[in-house]
Amino acid sequence: MGAVAKVDMAPNEGLLRLARQDLLAMPGYEPVEPLDVLARRLGIPEERIVKLDGNENPYGPSPKVREALARFPYYHIYPDPEQGQVRDAIAGYVGADPEQIVVGNGSDELLDLTGRLFLSPGDSVVNAPPTFGIYEFVARTYGAEVAEAPRREDFALDVDAAERALASGAKLMFLSSPNNPTGNVVSRAELERLLAHGAAVVVDEAYAEFAAESFVPLTVEHDNLIVARTFSKWAGLAGLRAGYGVFPPAVAEAIRKIKMPYNMNVAAQAAVLAALEDRTALTENVSMIVSERGRMAKTLARLPWLRVYPSRANFLLCQVQGRQAREVQARLRERGVLVRHFDSPGVRGCLRISVGRPQDTDRLVEALTEIGAAVV
Ligand SMILES: Cc1ncc(COP(=O)(O)O)c(C=O)c1O
């Protein structure tokens, strides 16, 4: 989600009169704030903040990543623009051919590069809200139109609506599975119906490790399927920015041609290699998050004014009932507990709460219990 900031029309005078007016009129993407900024704003020390608003990994990176970064001798040398070593390692991890892989500055960059390759002004992109705000943002930055196929009340895809948009000539569809912020996954049968239209279908699997399922194996059967993945969530590398895409080989080659040559820095590359070598430990962190997700869902469901939706990702979507969700978010924030608030169609009055460590859930529940008694 995101892309909800108010449209702030820049004056199109001075040099900006020469800028793309559609970009100036576009709402900006609303990112989450980093810890140091929050700590200063709230007057709470960083270590007292329970940050459950960015779907980050509370266990952080592997200690092997920290060692690899401390040891790395070549920060003064440009990275490999072909990204050979990381592509090989990632291909081994996901069971794809290295020719299919492109890496970048977070999976956001791969979504952007996909837009750059396929979209010209006036093209149409299918989006299934409520979903991750970057899809609409990417479409608009390339001057494309967004054809919306809103999800059903239970957040399942409206495949008929998406198919209608694809049949009327959309070039690209973005789809996240598990979906942010609703936490549900798309089925293989649904995806195959979408793929049958021949448009490029991007399945964003930022949270795939928490769902323990992936469509990467399907990329060998479908030459219009693109899968975007990241090290931000399961491997705790959100701040380093390390993502990748699994493309049909010819598309991967085209994307490598149009990307900036050094789009993944040497630190991120070293971190990815070390993370993949410490996969077993990182997978244990994923298991802890998945088991905490279950405990957190059960605990939150005891609050009669919260409706907790099932989730396959590292966050839970909760609908606040009989109280103002924005007010609940603000009261949590005063107590140093940060969660994300949504108020767009389909997710009105909802909070998205990342799964933290058990002690984070305890702080959250304690705060919610206090707030529940105070806010009506
Ligand atoms: C669905 C989805 N895709 C992609 C991303 C961005 O991932 P990255 O950090 O790799 O850019 C996020 C981040 O929250 C996300 O929720």
Side-chain angles (χ1 to χ4, degrees):
M1 294 293 287
V4 286
K6 266 244 94 10
V7 177
D8 203 4
M9 271 300 279
N12 46 3
E13 53 192 39
L15 195 52
L16 284 180
R17 77 190 187 286
L18 303 179
R20 268 180 55 189
Q21 301 302 302
D22 60 325
L23 285 186
L24 296 182
M26 215 178 90
Y29 182 74
E30 211 178 74
V32 290
E33 290 175 311
L35 261 186
D36 54 335
V37 173
L38 284 164
R40 245 177 289 130
R41 198 192 300 278
L42 297 171
I44 301 175
E46 282 177 30
E47 61 282 3
R48 283 291 298 157
I49 293 182
V50 178
K51 192 174 182 312
L52 305 177
D53 61 346
N55 300 340
E56 290 133 336
N57 188 319
Y59 299 104
S62 150
K64 298 220 161 62
V65 166
R66 294 183 196 281
E67 285 160 28
L69 292 180
R71 256 196 340 259
F72 187 75
Y74 299 123
Y75 286 116
H76 59 300
I77 305 290
Y78 283 110
D80 169 15
E82 286 292 313
Q83 311 162 329
Q85 214 187 342
V86 262
R87 277 171 51 210
D88 285 348
I90 290 170
Y93 171 58
V94 291
D97 190 304
E99 285 306 306
Q100 293 182 265
I101 311 285
V102 188
V103 303
N105 189 45
S107 57
D108 281 349
E109 191 190 17
L110 278 309
L111 301 174
D112 180 54
L113 285 168
T114 304
R116 184 184 298 179
L117 184 66
F118 288 103
L119 300 176
S120 303
D123 284 343
S124 170
V125 174
V126 186
N127 196 30
T131 192
F132 187 44
I134 290 285
Y135 309 144
E136 181 167 349
F137 179 83
V138 166
R140 302 248 183 249
T141 56
Y142 291 102
E145 311 284 332
V146 176
E148 288 202 341
R151 286 165 184 270
R152 299 183 189 280
E153 214 181 327
D154 63 355
F155 304 133
L157 268 188
D158 184 343
V159 184
D160 293 336
E163 283 198 275
R164 279 195 296 277
L166 290 167
S168 45
K171 268 191 168 175
L172 185 66
M173 174 164 186
F174 286 115
L175 181 61
S176 105
S177 184
N179 185 42
N180 176 9
T182 61
N184 58 318
V185 295
V186 68
S187 73
R188 180 175 174 154
E190 288 172 318
L191 178 59
E192 288 193 328
R193 277 176 63 189
L194 302 172
L195 287 165
H197 289 267
V201 177
V202 180
V203 180
D204 178 348
E205 294 193 336
Y207 302 99
E209 280 82 357
F210 303 101
E213 64 180 49
S214 168
F215 290 114
V216 168
L218 232 57
T219 58
V220 287
E221 287 167 44
H222 293 275
D223 64 3
N224 57 334
L225 173 60
I226 293 167
V227 179
R229 300 281 295 260
T230 183
F231 287 86
S232 293
K233 314 294 181 183
W234 74 280
L237 297 184
L240 269 169
R241 313 302 299 126
Y244 57 102
V246 186
F247 297 87
V251 178
E253 198 181 337
I255 297 263
R256 286 196 293 272
K257 197 168 109 186
I258 62 163
K259 73 175 180 63
M260 287 295 169
Y262 308 124
N263 66 322
M264 188 191 257
N265 66 61
V266 289
Q269 296 199 23
V272 163
L273 294 174
L276 288 176
E277 275 170 25
D278 203 18
R279 212 177 299 177
T280 315
L282 290 171
T283 305
E284 272 167 32
N285 293 350
V286 169
S287 302
M288 285 198 281
I289 292 167
V290 167
S291 108
E292 186 59 17
R293 178 179 74 199
R295 186 182 83 95
M296 182 171 152
K298 264 199 217 125
T299 318
L300 292 181
R302 283 194 211 119
L303 295 169
W305 50 277
L306 268 193
R307 174 177 178 195
V308 185
Y309 292 96
S311 169
R312 303 284 303 275
N314 66 341
F315 54 81
L316 292 174
L317 185 73
C318 305
Q319 190 184 46
V320 177
Q321 295 174 331
R323 284 161 179 78
Q324 293 295 323
R326 188 178 294 284
E327 181 71 13
V328 174
Q329 181 206 29
R331 299 285 180 102
L332 281 172
R333 193 178 159 94
E334 285 164 10
R335 290 162 171 80
V337 179
L338 303 168
V339 302
R340 192 119 191 205
H341 169 241
F342 292 101
D343 210 19
S344 49
V347 280
R348 291 234 182 271
C350 283
L351 300 176
R352 190 199 64 198
I353 313 179
S354 310
V355 179
R357 299 160 303 172
Q359 61 268 39
D360 300 326
T361 307
D362 294 344
R363 280 268 312 273
L364 167 77
V365 172
E366 191 186 313
L368 282 172
T369 309
E370 277 174 34
I371 293 165
V375 180
V376 237

